[in-house]
Coordinates of all heavy atoms in Angstrom, one line a residue:
Y151 N 40.2 95.9 -23.2 CA 39.8 97.1 -23.8 C 39.6 98.2 -22.8 O 39.2 98.1 -21.7 CB 38.4 96.9 -24.5 CG 38.4 95.7 -25.4 CD1 37.9 94.5 -25.0 CD2 39.0 95.7 -26.7 CE1 37.9 93.3 -25.8 CE2 39.0 94.6 -27.5 CZ 38.5 93.4 -27.0 OH 38.5 92.3 -27.8
S152 N 39.9 99.4 -23.3 CA 39.7 100.6 -22.5 C 39.1 101.7 -23.5 O 39.6 101.9 -24.6 CB 41.0 101.2 -22.0 OG 40.8 102.5 -21.5
V153 N 38.0 102.3 -23.1 CA 37.3 103.2 -23.9 C 37.3 104.5 -23.1 O 36.7 104.6 -22.0 CB 35.9 102.8 -24.2 CG1 35.2 103.9 -25.1 CG2 35.8 101.4 -24.9
S154 N 37.9 105.6 -23.6 CA 37.9 106.8 -23.0 C 36.7 107.6 -23.1 O 35.9 107.4 -24.1 CB 39.1 107.6 -23.4 OG 39.0 107.9 -24.7
C155 N 36.4 108.5 -22.2 CA 35.1 109.4 -22.3 C 35.3 110.7 -21.6 O 36.5 110.9 -21.1 CB 33.9 108.6 -21.8 SG 34.0 108.1 -20.0
N156 N 34.3 111.4 -21.4 CA 34.4 112.8 -20.9 C 34.6 112.9 -19.4 O 35.1 113.9 -19.0 CB 33.1 113.6 -21.4 CG 33.2 115.0 -20.9 OD1 34.1 115.8 -21.4 ND2 32.3 115.5 -20.0
S157 N 34.1 112.0 -18.6 CA 34.2 112.1 -17.2 C 34.0 110.7 -16.5 O 33.4 109.8 -17.1 CB 33.2 113.1 -16.6 OG 31.9 112.6 -16.8
G158 N 34.2 110.6 -15.2 CA 33.9 109.4 -14.5 C 32.4 109.2 -14.4 O 31.9 108.0 -14.4
T159 N 31.6 110.3 -14.3 CA 30.2 110.2 -14.4 C 29.7 109.5 -15.7 O 28.9 108.7 -15.6 CB 29.5 111.5 -14.1 OG1 30.0 112.1 -12.9 CG2 28.0 111.5 -14.0
D160 N 30.2 110.1 -16.7 CA 29.8 109.5 -18.0 C 30.2 108.0 -18.2 O 29.5 107.3 -18.8 CB 30.4 110.3 -19.1 CG 29.7 111.6 -19.5 OD1 28.8 111.9 -18.7 OD2 30.1 112.3 -20.5
A161 N 31.4 107.7 -17.6 CA 31.8 106.3 -17.6 C 30.8 105.4 -17.0 O 30.4 104.4 -17.5 CB 33.1 106.2 -16.9
L162 N 30.2 105.8 -15.8 CA 29.2 105.0 -15.1 C 27.9 104.9 -16.0 O 27.4 103.9 -16.2 CB 28.9 105.6 -13.8 CG 29.9 105.5 -12.7 CD1 29.6 106.4 -11.5 CD2 30.1 104.1 -12.2
I163 N 27.4 106.0 -16.6 CA 26.3 106.1 -17.4 C 26.5 105.2 -18.6 O 25.6 104.4 -18.9 CB 25.9 107.5 -17.7 CG1 25.4 108.3 -16.5 CG2 24.8 107.5 -18.8 CD1 25.3 109.8 -16.8
L164 N 27.5 105.3 -19.2 CA 27.8 104.5 -20.5 C 27.8 103.0 -20.1 O 27.3 102.2 -20.9 CB 29.1 105.0 -21.1 CG 29.1 106.3 -21.8 CD1 30.5 106.8 -22.1 CD2 28.2 106.3 -23.1
A165 N 28.5 102.7 -19.0 CA 28.6 101.3 -18.6 C 27.2 100.7 -18.3 O 26.9 99.6 -18.7 CB 29.4 101.2 -17.4
L166 N 26.4 101.4 -17.5 CA 25.0 101.0 -17.3 C 24.2 100.8 -18.5 O 23.5 99.8 -18.8 CB 24.4 102.0 -16.3 CG 24.9 102.0 -14.9 CD1 24.5 103.3 -14.2 CD2 24.3 100.8 -14.1
R167 N 24.3 101.8 -19.4 CA 23.6 101.7 -20.7 C 24.1 100.5 -21.5 O 23.2 99.8 -22.1 CB 23.8 103.0 -21.5 CG 23.0 104.2 -21.2 CD 21.5 104.1 -21.7 NE 21.5 103.7 -23.1 CZ 21.5 104.7 -24.0 NH1 21.6 106.0 -23.8 NH2 21.4 104.2 -25.3
S168 N 25.3 100.3 -21.6 CA 25.9 99.1 -22.3 C 25.4 97.8 -21.8 O 25.3 96.8 -22.6 CB 27.4 99.1 -22.3 OG 27.9 98.8 -21.1
L169 N 25.0 97.7 -20.6 CA 24.5 96.5 -19.9 C 23.0 96.4 -19.9 O 22.4 95.5 -19.3 CB 25.1 96.4 -18.5 CG 26.6 96.2 -18.5 CD1 27.1 96.3 -17.0 CD2 27.0 94.7 -18.9
N170 N 22.4 97.3 -20.7 CA 21.0 97.3 -20.9 C 20.2 97.5 -19.5 O 19.1 96.9 -19.2 CB 20.4 96.1 -21.5 CG 20.9 96.0 -23.0 OD1 20.9 97.0 -23.7 ND2 21.5 94.8 -23.3
I171 N 20.8 98.3 -18.6 CA 20.1 98.6 -17.3 C 19.4 99.9 -17.4 O 19.9 100.9 -17.9 CB 21.2 98.7 -16.2 CG1 21.8 97.3 -16.0 CG2 20.5 99.2 -14.9 CD1 23.0 97.3 -15.1
G172 N 18.1 99.8 -17.1 CA 17.2 101.0 -17.3 C 16.0 101.0 -16.5 O 16.0 100.6 -15.3
Q173 N 15.0 101.6 -17.0 CA 13.7 101.8 -16.3 C 13.2 100.6 -15.6 O 13.1 99.4 -16.2 CB 12.6 102.3 -17.3 CG 11.4 102.9 -16.7 CD 11.8 104.2 -16.1 OE1 12.6 105.0 -16.7 NE2 11.3 104.5 -15.0
G174 N 12.9 100.7 -14.3 CA 12.4 99.6 -13.5 C 13.4 98.6 -12.9 O 13.1 97.8 -12.0
D175 N 14.7 98.8 -13.4 CA 15.8 98.0 -12.8 C 16.3 98.5 -11.5 O 16.2 99.7 -11.2 CB 16.9 97.8 -13.8 CG 16.5 97.1 -15.0 OD1 15.6 96.3 -15.0 OD2 17.1 97.4 -16.1
E176 N 16.9 97.7 -10.7 CA 17.6 98.1 -9.4 C 19.0 97.7 -9.5 O 19.5 96.7 -10.0 CB 16.9 97.3 -8.3 CG 15.4 97.8 -8.0 CD 14.8 97.1 -6.8 OE1 15.4 96.1 -6.3 OE2 13.7 97.4 -6.5
V177 N 19.8 98.6 -8.9 CA 21.3 98.5 -8.8 C 21.7 98.7 -7.4 O 21.4 99.7 -6.8 CB 22.0 99.4 -9.8 CG1 23.6 99.3 -9.6 CG2 21.6 99.3 -11.2
I178 N 22.4 97.7 -6.8 CA 22.8 97.7 -5.4 C 24.1 98.4 -5.3 O 25.1 98.1 -6.0 CB 23.0 96.3 -4.8 CG1 21.5 95.7 -4.8 CG2 23.5 96.4 -3.4 CD1 21.6 94.2 -4.4
T179 N 24.2 99.4 -4.4 CA 25.5 100.2 -4.3 C 25.5 100.7 -2.9 O 24.8 100.4 -2.0 CB 25.6 101.3 -5.3 OG1 26.8 101.9 -5.4 CG2 24.4 102.4 -5.1
S180 N 26.5 101.7 -2.7 CA 26.8 102.3 -1.4 C 26.3 103.7 -1.4 O 26.4 104.5 -2.4 CB 28.3 102.3 -1.1 OG 28.7 103.0 0.0
S181 N 25.8 104.2 -0.2 CA 25.4 105.6 -0.1 C 26.6 106.4 0.4 O 26.5 107.7 0.3 CB 24.3 105.6 1.0 OG 23.9 106.9 1.2
F182 N 27.7 105.8 0.9 CA 28.9 106.5 1.2 C 29.8 106.6 0.1 O 30.8 105.8 -0.1 CB 29.5 105.9 2.4 CG 30.6 106.7 3.1 CD1 30.4 108.0 3.4 CD2 31.9 106.1 3.3 CE1 31.5 108.7 3.9 CE2 32.9 106.9 3.9 CZ 32.7 108.2 4.2
S183 N 29.5 107.6 -0.8 CA 30.3 107.8 -2.1 C 30.0 109.2 -2.6 O 29.1 109.9 -2.0 CB 29.9 106.7 -3.1 OG 30.7 106.9 -4.3
F184 N 30.6 109.6 -3.6 CA 30.3 110.9 -4.3 C 28.9 110.6 -4.9 O 28.6 109.5 -5.4 CB 31.3 111.3 -5.3 CG 31.0 112.5 -6.0 CD1 30.8 113.7 -5.3 CD2 30.9 112.5 -7.4 CE1 30.5 114.9 -6.0 CE2 30.5 113.7 -8.1 CZ 30.4 114.9 -7.4
F185 N 28.2 111.7 -5.1 CA 26.8 111.7 -5.6 C 26.7 111.0 -6.9 O 25.6 110.3 -7.2 CB 26.2 113.0 -5.6 CG 24.8 113.1 -5.9 CD1 23.9 112.8 -4.8 CD2 24.2 113.6 -7.1 CE1 22.5 112.8 -5.1 CE2 22.9 113.7 -7.3 CZ 22.0 113.3 -6.3

């Protein structure tokens, strides 16, 4: 499946929301990236 959206930023937000990631949770990532 591929679901299109308004931007790459929205894609990240929608993905996080769909996985029920929210208040109080932690997500490990890189600081060397676009904001």
Side-chain angles (χ1 to χ4, degrees):
Y151 309 99
S152 168
V153 182
S154 59
C155 62
N156 184 62
S157 68
T159 304
D160 279 8
L162 289 167
I163 293 172
L164 290 166
L166 289 159
R167 279 283 309 273
S168 73
L169 293 167
N170 296 314
I171 294 169
Q173 199 68 40
D175 295 332
E176 294 179 351
V177 179
I178 297 170
T179 191
S180 173
S181 177
F182 189 50
S183 180
F184 180 59
F185 190 73

